[in-house]
Amino acid sequence: MSAASNYTEDRTLDFWLKNNSQSTTSPTTVFVALFTSDPSLGSTDENLEAGTISNECQGGGYERQTVTFGTISNGSVSNNANVTFPTATDNNWGTITHVAVMDADGEFVDGDSAGSGNVLFYGRLTTAREILQDDTFQITSNSLTVTLA
C-alpha cells in the first residue's frame, strides 16, 4: 500500500520541512482495519482522517488488530508477524477489499458508524475475500507492505 492519508502527508512534511511545528508524535501502537470498499471514496478528508468511515467492517466479532513492522529499507516496510482477526460471529463481514493502518484501536461507541482514530496508510488487497460467519481473516507476515513513493 502506498496511499497515505492527508493527515499522514501533512504531518510528514511538517516534521521534515518545518521543524515539526504541529508537535507530531508517533502512536505507540498501530492497528489494521478492514474495509468493504475504498475508504477514501465518498469520504471527506475529515472522515478519512477521523476514522468515521462508514465502509469499515462492523460485523460480529470484528475489531481492529495490532500490527508490528520490521526493518525499513528503501522507503518500504512490511509487517513482521501474522495479523489474525477474530472469528466472524453473528453475521457476515462482507467482502474485504481494502485495509488501512490506523493510529487507534477504533472501538465502536454508542452506535457510531465507525471507530475512532486516524487513517495513516491504506490500500487495496491483491485479492478480495468474502468473510462469512465463522470465517477468520489473516494477513500473513511480510504480506502487508507500506511504501513511500
Side-chain angles (χ1 to χ4, degrees):
M1 82 179 55
S2 62
S5 69
N6 287 347
Y7 172 86
T8 300
E9 292 169 348
D10 291 349
R11 277 148 185 80
T12 300
L13 292 172
D14 187 67
F15 178 84
W16 288 108
L17 304 177
K18 293 183 65 184
N19 195 25
N20 198 20
S21 64
Q22 290 184 7
S23 300
T24 299
T25 58
S26 64
T28 56
T29 305
V30 291
F31 302 85
V32 176
L34 303 178
F35 294 88
T36 56
S37 63
D38 187 338
S40 68
L41 295 179
S43 295
T44 64
D45 287 339
E46 293 78 19
N47 284 350
L48 184 60
E49 294 162 20
T52 56
I53 308 162
S54 61
N55 56 351
E56 183 176 357
C57 285
Q58 297 182 36
Y62 171 77
E63 59 184 53
R64 295 177 190 166
Q65 296 299 300
T66 302
V67 61
T68 57
F69 291 92
T71 303
I72 298 169
S73 178
N74 298 316
S76 186
V77 65
S78 296
N79 62 313
N80 62 359
N82 292 343
V83 178
T84 304
F85 286 79
T87 301
T89 60
D90 301 331
N91 54 26
N92 303 336
W93 291 358
T95 300
I96 309 305
T97 62
H98 290 75
V99 298
V101 177
M102 309 285 293
D103 66 0
D105 64 2
E107 183 176 337
F108 294 86
V109 180
D110 299 328
D112 288 346
S113 61
S116 61
N118 298 296
V119 172
L120 302 176
F121 300 96
Y122 62 96
R124 175 181 295 279
L125 294 176
T126 303
T127 304
R129 175 147 183 257
E130 184 177 18
I131 303 297
L132 303 173
Q133 185 174 343
D134 298 324
D135 285 347
T136 59
F137 185 88
Q138 182 179 70
I139 300 169
T140 57
S141 183
N142 296 310
S143 294
L144 178 63
T145 301
V146 177
T147 302
L148 294 180

